[in-house]
Amino acid sequence: MRSERRYVAGLYARLDAERARVKEEYDAALRSKDETPVQRDVEVHARAREMRRLDVADSGLCFGRLDSLSGERRYVGRIGLADEENDYEPLLLDWRAPAARPFYTATGANPENLRLRRQFHSAGRHLVDFTDEVFGRPTGDERGDAALLAAVNAPRGDGMRDIVATIQAEQDEIIRLDHPGVLVIEGGPGTGKTVVALHRVAYLLYTQRERMERHGVLVVGPNPAFLHHIGRVLPSLGETDVVFMTPGDLVPGLHVTAEDEPEAARPKGSLRILDVLAAAIADRQRLPEHPLPITLGGVTMRIDAETAEWAVEEARASGLPHNEARAVFTEIVTYVLTERAIARIGRGWLTRADRDAWEQLRSELLTELAGSDTFAAALDELWPILTPETLLAELYESPERLRAAGADRGLWRADGAAWTVSDVPLLDELAELLGRDTVAEKAAEQAAERERRDEASYAAGVLDLLRLDHEEMDEDVLVRADDLLHAGALAERFVERDTRTLAERAAADRSWTYRHIVVDEAQELSDMDWRVLMRRCPGRSFTVVGDLAQRRSAAGATSWAAMLEPYVPGRWLYRSLSVNYRTPAEIMAVAAGVLAEFAPGLQPPESVRSCGVPPWSRQVTEDELPAAIEEFVREEAEREGTSVVIGPPGTPGAVTPAQTKGLEFDAVLVVEPMRILTRSPRGAAELYVALTRATQRLGVLHQGPLPEALTGLVARTPADAGNRR
């Protein structure tokens, strides 16, 4: 023990030295005047990223040792450390390195050339104890039971923990899988599919960093609570260039307040909505009911239906998005108006043979049109610049527009801008169909150019002052002044640079594309959701995590093949996890009864442990229910760990099953299971989710009869409360 403590202490000393070195390089990069601003920013960001990587390794830096049959000894930990003074001899293997893999995969039957595997148990930086597994002995068994059970039995804290020290062989195989396309990881409750997917991201970033770091990784989860729950895992493994979003965050700046009811979510999630969106745009490309008068060169011209129809046909035929195609529409209308105006103005004295006079008059008329408010208003009426939000909100609010677009009547709502999660893929699709607002972009470019000219003028004035006062300057200032080749170079020094991290820049940019995307609770995503995600990842590199048995969305996946084959035919792999590390056998037996009712062909995952506490139920009256909930909350507050009350919407002090997807708690109280079961067509899946959130204790409160599927619950009375464990 003493020698191991000395070795671990030496690793921390090496870590501290590395931190000091990188911090010194970071400070030097900030002060550097020898590089261009861009080079300096790159160096600063690189050193900052390295500091973040080193800062996560304080707790459990080294968690194991491997001894080979040849006598070689290797230590395994969160990050890799080397001895710079001894030809970079490895002091600590990164858990993702190929040489560290036997730590997770070696068994008594296949020891992978190992003699011993040692598991360290630490508190902060202090090595407390270790356990050994010696291979080749008659009692040798597969690794990890003691460490694994200690981890799964430990009270839950605030957020998911990494499993880097207790990865099991079937998990490790998935984490290190070399597949460039889409990997589907399916598993029932508690199988660790989410944390396996996150460790896979860390592994990919380690093995393919150069390819992946410029674009980063996106992790999509069902709700903010879930993202908070998993948010520490990747940083704890040294990876920070990762963006976390819910499906409602995929359009930056949009404020999503709710989910649609099934009758609205279903048509919005179907690809048939694409025809509705295209029709809604076409409906705004109008022909005038009556000719629109435009004064031009002293004569009154008119935009008639025939002219507008020609312009619409040409604009649509261009293949450009709506807003960008407005330039084609405008060009056709402008051509017709100016040609007709020239003919009227020059009647009797001007012919096409007089090319110079004809073109001069055309130029004057074009200038007049460009400044005409009447012409601009006519363009806005016939081919308006549209934003996705405006178009979709006005579509929802108008039964007439919905009917014209061939939309389902259930999409109508009074407040069109009350955005739901199901609206996000529609808004993203509209952003592609509408394109850029080129008019606004041109105005912004002109404003930026004016600002650059002003900055250059200011810089030129500074240089003039430097030249006038050069006799009063010391030599160092003169040298630096000579380095300023022109006013533009000095102006560049005043430009505000983008100092955001990659993750911050990516999260704010709707058009950002990622190198890899993780999709959790993927069974809930619709066809339209997948269009958004595929657009975000042109390389089609995904880790997809889900459980079809837990699907609650009316527009969600019914099979992985149906969802993925249209996008990645033949490029997706399926892997399953069958061992439940979270839910004890007593609780899983109760949940299995519900699973058998709505998915009789599916087998529940096998639990690796029992908790010794039987799940219980208690029947209460409506008046007794609030006090019974408070009693549960009070009792659990006195215990170590976490707890939650889950019930149907509107239950005081409770969250809904949907809000707990992907989460885990030491103790769970499920309220009114019959109401959860019957409130929606996917109510059985919601009840299954609620029952499988607990890692230690499960209780059920009900007013009416229990659902028949809930077997195995021990009936309790108020008198039993004091005896609860």
Side-chain angles (χ1 to χ4, degrees), residues 184-420:
V184 176
I185 306 174
E186 183 165 32
T191 53
K193 53 188 179 293
T194 295
V195 74
V196 167
L198 295 175
H199 283 68
R200 175 168 168 76
V201 168
Y203 177 75
L204 292 175
L205 286 168
Y206 176 80
T207 57
Q208 305 175 28
R209 188 168 302 280
E210 185 175 349
R211 188 179 73 87
M212 297 184 70
E213 66 180 356
R214 290 187 179 181
H215 291 266
V217 174
L218 172 64
V219 176
V220 179
N223 53 58
F226 174 84
L227 295 183
H228 174 76
H229 180 63
I230 69 171
R232 296 180 182 177
V233 174
L234 283 169
S236 75
L237 299 173
E239 303 299 344
T240 56
D241 287 339
V242 179
V243 178
F244 294 88
M245 288 186 179
T246 70
D249 299 326
L250 290 169
V251 174
L254 190 75
H255 183 54
V256 173
T257 58
E259 287 187 74
D260 277 311
E261 292 299 321
E263 57 268 20
R266 190 178 293 106
K268 287 182 183 180
S270 169
L271 294 182
R272 289 190 293 272
I273 199 71
L274 294 173
D275 294 333
V276 172
L277 299 180
I281 294 173
D283 186 50
R284 307 300 289 269
Q285 300 163 354
R286 302 180 56 237
L287 304 181
E289 295 181 5
H290 306 286
L292 302 177
I294 305 292
T295 301
L296 189 59
V299 297
T300 299
M301 308 307 301
R302 285 176 172 79
I303 305 176
D304 55 29
E306 182 181 9
T307 299
E309 185 176 15
W310 178 30
V312 166
E313 290 174 353
E314 292 295 325
R316 291 176 178 173
S318 72
L320 294 171
H322 168 86
N323 289 336
E324 297 168 42
R326 172 172 157 134
V328 179
F329 179 88
T330 303
E331 181 181 4
I332 298 298
V333 174
T334 299
Y335 172 79
V336 172
L337 291 179
T338 54
E339 285 293 306
R340 291 176 178 175
I342 291 171
R344 287 186 58 183
I345 295 170
R347 183 176 298 162
W349 63 271
L350 180 63
T351 67
R352 287 186 180 275
D354 191 353
R355 183 182 301 273
D356 290 342
W358 190 285
E359 292 302 326
Q360 175 62 31
L361 181 53
R362 177 193 294 279
S363 177
E364 293 172 359
L365 295 178
L366 289 175
T367 301
E368 184 178 348
L369 270 183
S372 170
D373 292 339
T374 304
F375 183 57
L379 292 177
D380 288 341
E381 179 180 344
L382 301 178
W383 196 285
I385 293 291
L386 298 170
T387 67
E389 291 82 0
T390 299
L391 177 65
L392 196 58
E394 292 179 352
L395 177 66
Y396 288 152
E397 292 172 355
S398 170
E400 293 77 16
R401 291 191 189 278
L402 286 170
R403 187 165 48 253
D408 191 292
R409 288 181 298 176
L411 298 186
W412 179 88
R413 65 188 186 214
D415 184 358
W419 303 117
T420 69

Side-chain angles (χ1 to χ4, degrees), residues 5-18:
R5 283 177 175 166
R6 280 199 302 268
Y7 193 88
V8 171
L11 291 176
Y12 277 111
R14 184 79 198 99
L15 174 66
D16 291 339
E18 278 286 287

Side-chain angles (χ1 to χ4, degrees), residues 33 103 121 145 176 179 201 256 360 387 547 611 685:
K33 295 182 175 62
F103 186 79
H121 311 288
D145 285 351
R176 298 174 192 263
H179 178 64
V201 168
V256 173
Q360 175 62 31
T387 67
D547 179 11
C611 63

